[in-house]
Amino acid sequence: SKWYGKSTNDVYVKKVRKVLNSVIDKVSILGFVPYDRVPYIYNLADILVVPSQWEEPAGRVVIEGQVSRVALIISDAGGMKEYTNSQAAIIIKRGPSFVENLKKSIIRLIQDEEYRKELSENGFACAQSYTSECYYKDIMSIMQCEES
């Protein structure tokens, strides 16, 4: 959110920077990014990892990543898994093996370009169900059913 990043030296950011120190030349900590710049950021990436543990009702980030043709790894938390499927994203079950499975999935996508591209294209196709036109058609069909 725009409220995050007011202090780029808070305890959390310091902890993240320390963990990332060995790969800091390959990682950017961006903080808040204005929404109109988000597509640009997605297009810089090959892989989008959303390891949420909280029951997010509807993580828009899944659709944004898929529309941007970014290979997607998500947790099974909340509504995120409702916007994709196992052909369009790697969906990791939360639990004791979560971190290890996340690590293996990231490594697989880094090493297997064909699989990464397959997920990206399947994700893009999946996201086409969430266009403005699709929402409009769904709403109109609901309204027409209620008129009958």
Side-chain angles (χ1 to χ4, degrees), residues 98-111:
F98 182 79
V99 172
E100 185 61 27
N101 291 336
L102 180 62
K103 174 184 156 187
K104 288 177 183 176
S105 297
I106 292 170
I107 291 169
R108 179 177 183 197
L109 288 183
I110 290 169
Q111 294 176 343

Side-chain angles (χ1 to χ4, degrees), residues 64-97:
E64 293 169 345
Q66 290 179 140
V67 166
S68 300
R69 287 188 162 98
V70 177
L72 190 61
I73 301 172
I74 64 171
S75 69
D76 64 350
M80 290 191 301
K81 60 191 174 292
E82 296 175 27
Y83 294 97
T84 192
N85 59 57
S86 60
Q87 286 76 45
I90 297 174
I91 305 169
I92 302 175
K93 184 173 174 50
R94 290 170 293 163
S97 305

Side-chain angles (χ1 to χ4, degrees), residues 15 20 24 35-36 52 91 97 101 104 106 124 132 147:
K15 192 182 247 185
L20 296 176
I24 202 68
Y35 192 70
D36 63 336
S52 295
I91 305 169
S97 305
N101 291 336
K104 288 177 183 176
I106 292 170
F124 181 77
S132 300
E147 288 178 7

